[in-house]
Amino acid sequence: EPEVTQTPSHQVTQMGQEVILRCVPISNHLYFYWYRQILGQKVEFLVSFYNNEISEKSEIFDDQFSVERPDGSNFTLKIRSTKLEDSAMYFCATRLARVSYEQYFGPGTRLTVT
Amino acid sequence: GENVEQHPSTLSVQEGDSAVIKCTYSDSASNYFPWYKQELGKGPQLIIDIRSNVGEKKDQRIAVTLNKTAKHFSLHITETQPEDSAVYFCAASKDSNYQLIWGAGTKLIIKP
């Protein structure tokens, strides 16, 4: 069964450093999402991406964040200058088409900022 | 914006008994309500979903009910088994953006 994969599973970085989180979507899916879950809190929407551009983004997704799909396979989330409060689980999700509702999630990347 | 509330935060049931988890939502435009199961160290797994044009949906031991008027939806698990132990999340979304707005999660513990 096709699945969303994410790398790395765990990333430790120092405050102020740049990190790139990677996601490989299910192959024929067209819509891509990033969510995050700070320990003990709700899962929060960050951004949605379709046709090589951002469709929607939340207030969390400020200028420190960016997304791209440079090679048609990997979907990446970049945090330019990490802060302690960026420590969280980051989940990638994908959706097949405009008229399909189901979102399928990857296993997540645990980001720890020290 | 949309807000989803989920109760209880922890639910402990005897193996073989039923478990019910409840969610409420605030935005009447929401029309899609999935439930996800998250096991330790894994990402959320979609287990069942319901759209607003349906009141109930069942898949083997799992069922979801939706009351649009009251803005309530619930997950029902019958004949619970040890492998049902996990954290369960409800969520809501609407056609305008498909963003999932999540509940806080319910830790389901199945006692042998």
Side-chain angles (χ1 to χ4, degrees), chain A residues 36-47:
Chain A
R36 80 172 184 191
Q37 185 179 29
I38 295 172
L39 189 64
Q41 297 185 22
K42 289 186 176 185
V43 178
E44 302 171 287
F45 166 80
L46 292 179
V47 65

Side-chain angles (χ1 to χ4, degrees), chain A residues 35 42 98 101 103 105-106, chain B residues 4 36 51 95 98 100 102:
Chain A
Y35 292 84
K42 289 186 176 185
R98 187 178 66 82
Y101 289 81
Q103 292 185 29
F105 282 74
Chain B
V4 177
Y36 286 85
R51 299 186 194 182
D95 286 351
Y98 294 92
L100 291 175
W102 296 71

Side-chain angles (χ1 to χ4, degrees), chain A residues 33 35 37 41-45 48 56-58 89 91 95 97-108, chain B residues 3-5 31-32 36 38 41-44 46 49 51 89 93-104:
Chain A
Y33 302 83
Y35 292 84
Q37 185 179 29
Q41 297 185 22
K42 289 186 176 185
V43 178
E44 302 171 287
F45 166 80
S48 58
E56 301 272 346
K57 58 183 180 179
S58 71
M89 280 292 287
F91 293 107
R95 182 165 67 90
R98 187 178 66 82
V99 296
S100 64
Y101 289 81
E102 300 85 356
Q103 292 185 29
Y104 297 93
F105 282 74
Chain B
N3 184 46
V4 177
E5 297 292 335
N31 61 351
Y32 174 66
Y36 286 85
Q38 187 177 25
K42 297 185 179 180
L46 179 65
D49 55 12
R51 299 186 194 182
F89 292 94
S93 73
K94 54 190 176 185
D95 286 351
S96 58
N97 57 24
Y98 294 92
Q99 291 175 27
L100 291 175
I101 307 300
W102 296 71

